[in-house]
Amino acid sequence: MAARYPIPTLRLRDGHSIPALGFGIGTAWIDGKKTEINRKLVEAIKTAIKLGYRHFDTAEVYNSERELGIAIKESEVPREEFFVTTKLWKNWDNITASFEASLERLRMDYVDLYLIHSPFFVESSKDLQTQWSSLEALHSTGRARSIGVSNFYAPHLTAILQTAKIKPVINQIELHPYLQHPDLQALLKTHNIALASYGPLTPITKASPGPVDEVVERLARKYGAGEGEILLRWVIEQGGVAITTSSKEERMRGYLKATEFELTEDEVKEISEKGKRKHHREFFRSRF
Ligand SMILES: NC(=O)C1=CN([C@@H]2O[C@H](COP(=O)(O)OP(=O)(O)OC[C@H]3O[C@@H](n4cnc5c(N)ncnc54)[C@H](O)[C@@H]3O)[C@@H](O)[C@H]2O)C=CC1
Ligand SMILES: O=CCc1c[nH]c2ccccc12
């Protein structure tokens, strides 16, 4: 059975819309060395499509773009119904070649969103500015409908905003109650840059036990949802986009419940306040 309700969308600063719940094909799926097509992954993506997911998040470095392209073709759902994000890894010298290789693997002639995966591989602000101008050039061809960044913190954003002709539409970062980035969130709001959360389930999957456990369990009972769905909804209620994943159909189905109820302002606040009592960063730890 497909989603009972359509997944809500968020309007980006360039006028395009992004579904507020995305299905990631990184982390749990990664096998950077594989050369054969992973049919299990293709089938899992097709299951997600059947359940109603239309927003997929991949990256050059995940080695999953080919499977996403095949799954979308085999699903027979029109390309225009999907929102596909991919990300540039380290090939700064020829960004156009990297981008075109991604399109080829995806079997697509455009992506909805192209992101710089990380700012941590360059030496200077000037390098970041040069990279951003290459994304602007791709955007002008129409093959990257929207452009944005990932794992950017205030100094990285400030650097590119100094010379940007087009501001990033989104910053995809690790965001959950134990990593809330209040200052970065304020900066994004000032520039109308949306926030996408990866690792939204971290408090229950990687950082438990912790101070939000009790409230998340209580709200899951109240709304007849899983604990994960409370954390996904916490992101969505704050105007963010939540990117999660699973290989299990039951979990894929469960996450969709996050679109079927609303948390009250006080409930969002309670999770945030309790979350502030613990700090946990799962990804790119060595950079901080
Ligand atoms: N831009 C970036 O640098 C990054 C982007 N991402 C993107 O975000 C996506 C999601 O990232 P995750 O950290 O995996 O997201 P997540 O925090 O939503 O965790 C999803 C994982 O939790 C497991 N899970 C769900 N419910 C569970 C439960 N009750 N008990 C135990 N395990 C449970 C799932 O099976 C899955 O493996 C990735 O696939 C990728 O597309 C992820 C990391 C970095
Ligand atoms: O994007 C998520 C984190 C990450 C960075 N590099 C790799 C490589 C393979 C899987 C995930 C990641």
Side-chain angles (χ1 to χ4, degrees), residues 9 48 53 68 94 135 176 184 242 252:
T9 57
Y53 289 89
L68 178 57
N94 199 339
L135 261 71
H176 47 73
L184 178 63
M252 292 181 197

Side-chain angles (χ1 to χ4, degrees), residues 7-8 18-25 48 52-58 83-85 172 196-200 232 235-236 240-246 252 255-256 258-259:
I7 294 173
I18 182 170
L21 184 62
F23 190 88
I25 320 167
Y53 289 89
R54 292 293 180 269
H55 171 185
F56 290 91
D57 181 86
T58 182
F83 189 99
V84 173
T85 302
Q172 185 186 115
S197 151
Y198 70 74
L232 296 173
V235 172
I236 295 170
V241 173
I243 317 274
T244 186
T245 194
S246 180
M252 292 181 197
Y255 298 153
L256 290 170
T259 66

